[in-house]
C-alpha cells in the first residue's frame, strides 16, 4: 500500500513539475534554461512535500527520501529535456534536415553550422549569458575574461577531457583521440586577444 501512495505522490510531483516549468517559461523571465528548470524541480518537490507533510502513510525519514528522489528527478528532467533541446547540436541537425526537405549535402554542413546555426540560435549570446550568470566570465570594455571560478572550471574540464574521455572515439568511420585535445592543431590566431 505504501508503494501505491508513493507512486501517487510521485505522479503529483510530475504534474507539479510540468506545471511549474510551464508557468515559469510562459509568464516569467528566464536567465539560464538549465538553472530555471532546476529551480522548477526544487519548487515542485517542496510543494509535493508540503502536500504530503500531513500524511501518516510515511514516517519522516521516508518523506525526506521521497523529497530527495523528487529533487533528483527534477534535476534529471532539467538536464534531459529542456537543456538538451536548448543546447543540442544533434537535435539542431535533425530539425535543420527536416527544414531543408529531409536532406543536406554532407560537404555543406560546415556552412550550415557557421552561417545558420550560430545566427539562428544566437549561440554566442546564449553561451556568454550562461557564463556571465554562472560567474565564470566577466566582460569589461568589450573584453571577455575568465574569472577565478572560470579558470578553475576550465582547468578541471581540460584535465577531464585529456584523461577521462575516450581515446578511441568513432568520428565519421574512424577512431580518433582528437577530442581529448581539440586544441592540439589549433591555429595560432592572436588578433582577437584582449590587450
Amino acid at each position: 500500500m505504501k508503494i501505491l501512495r508513493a507512486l501517487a505522490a510521485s505522479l503529483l510531483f510530475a504534474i507539479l513539475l510540468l506545471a511549474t516549468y510551464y508557468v515559469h517559461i510562459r509568464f516569467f523571465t528566464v536567465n539560464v534554461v538549465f538553472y530555471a528548470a532546476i529551480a522548477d524541480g526544487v519548487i515542485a518537490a517542496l510543494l509535493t512535500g508540503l502536500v504530503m507533510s500531513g500524511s501518516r502513510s510515511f514516517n519522516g525519514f521516508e518523506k525526506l527520501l521521497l523529497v530527495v528522489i523528487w529533487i533528483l528527478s527534477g534535476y534529471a528532467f532539467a538536464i534531459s529535456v529542456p537543456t538538451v533541446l536548448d543546447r543540442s547540436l544533434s537535435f539542431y541537425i535533425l530539425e535543420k534536415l527536416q527544414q531543408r526537405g529531409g536532406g543536406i549535402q554532407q560537404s555543406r554542413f560546415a556552412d550550415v553550422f557557421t552561417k545558420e546555426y550560430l545566427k539562428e540560435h544566437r549561440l554566442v549570446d546564449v553561451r556568454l549569458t550562461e557564463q556571465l550568470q554562472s560567474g565564470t566570465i566577466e566582460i569589461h570594455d568589450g573584453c571577455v575574461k575568465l574569472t577565478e571560478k572560470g579558470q578553475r572550471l576550465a582547468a578541471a574540464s581540460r584535465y577531464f577531457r585529456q584523461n577521462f574521455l575516450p581515446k578511441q572515439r568513432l568520428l565519421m568511420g574512424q577512431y580518433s583521440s582528437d577530442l581529448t585535445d581539440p586544441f592540439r592543431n589549433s591555429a595560432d590566431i592572436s588578433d582577437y586577444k584582449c590587450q
Side-chain angles (χ1 to χ4, degrees):
M1 206 55 164
K2 266 190 184 185
I3 190 74
L4 292 177
R5 289 190 176 121
L7 289 173
S10 295
L11 178 60
L12 174 63
F13 162 75
I15 292 167
L16 287 172
L17 173 63
L18 295 176
T20 303
Y21 175 76
Y22 180 77
V23 168
H24 192 169
I25 59 134
R26 184 84 174 142
F27 301 107
F28 294 92
T29 60
V30 172
N31 292 348
V32 176
V33 170
F34 176 56
Y35 299 155
I38 288 176
D40 297 337
V42 171
I43 290 168
L46 295 176
L47 287 174
T48 309
L50 282 174
V51 169
M52 282 198 36
S53 64
S55 170
R56 294 185 179 169
S57 300
F58 305 101
N59 63 39
F61 183 68
E62 291 168 332
K63 290 176 187 175
L64 176 65
L65 286 180
L66 283 170
V67 170
V68 168
I69 289 169
W70 297 329
I71 288 173
L72 292 173
S73 298
Y75 180 75
F77 167 78
I79 289 177
S80 303
V81 182
T83 303
V84 163
L85 289 175
D86 181 54
R87 295 171 169 252
S88 176
L89 184 55
S90 298
F91 276 107
Y92 175 80
I93 290 170
L94 296 176
E95 291 173 17
K96 184 52 76 170
L97 285 166
Q98 184 183 53
Q99 179 201 25
R100 297 287 188 234
I104 297 173
Q105 295 174 24
Q106 183 178 350
S107 63
R108 299 301 303 270
F109 265 86
D111 290 334
V112 169
F113 295 144
T114 58
K115 295 178 180 167
E116 296 181 47
Y117 179 54
L118 287 170
K119 181 179 177 184
E120 292 168 346
H121 281 252
R122 294 185 62 188
L123 209 54
V124 173
D125 294 338
V126 168
R127 297 303 180 253
L128 288 177
T129 299
E130 289 175 353
Q131 297 310 314
L132 282 166
Q133 293 295 309
S134 300
T136 56
I137 65 167
E138 51 191 22
I139 302 175
H140 296 293
D141 299 323
C143 184
V144 180
K145 291 193 169 200
L146 283 172
T147 61
E148 283 299 317
K149 178 180 179 182
Q151 290 280 6
R152 288 190 306 272
L153 281 174
S157 171
R158 189 137 174 83
Y159 180 81
F160 189 92
R161 175 180 300 282
Q162 290 176 335
N163 295 289
F164 298 106
L165 284 183
K167 302 291 184 203
Q168 295 301 314
R169 179 177 179 173
L170 184 63
L171 297 172
M172 293 305 298
Q174 295 182 344
Y175 288 94
S176 170
S177 66
D178 287 351
L179 297 182
T180 61
D181 186 7
F183 301 147
R184 78 171 65 128
N185 297 317
S186 198
D188 187 22
I189 302 170
S190 59
D191 65 336
Y192 53 75
K193 290 182 182 175
C194 293
Q195 299 301 328

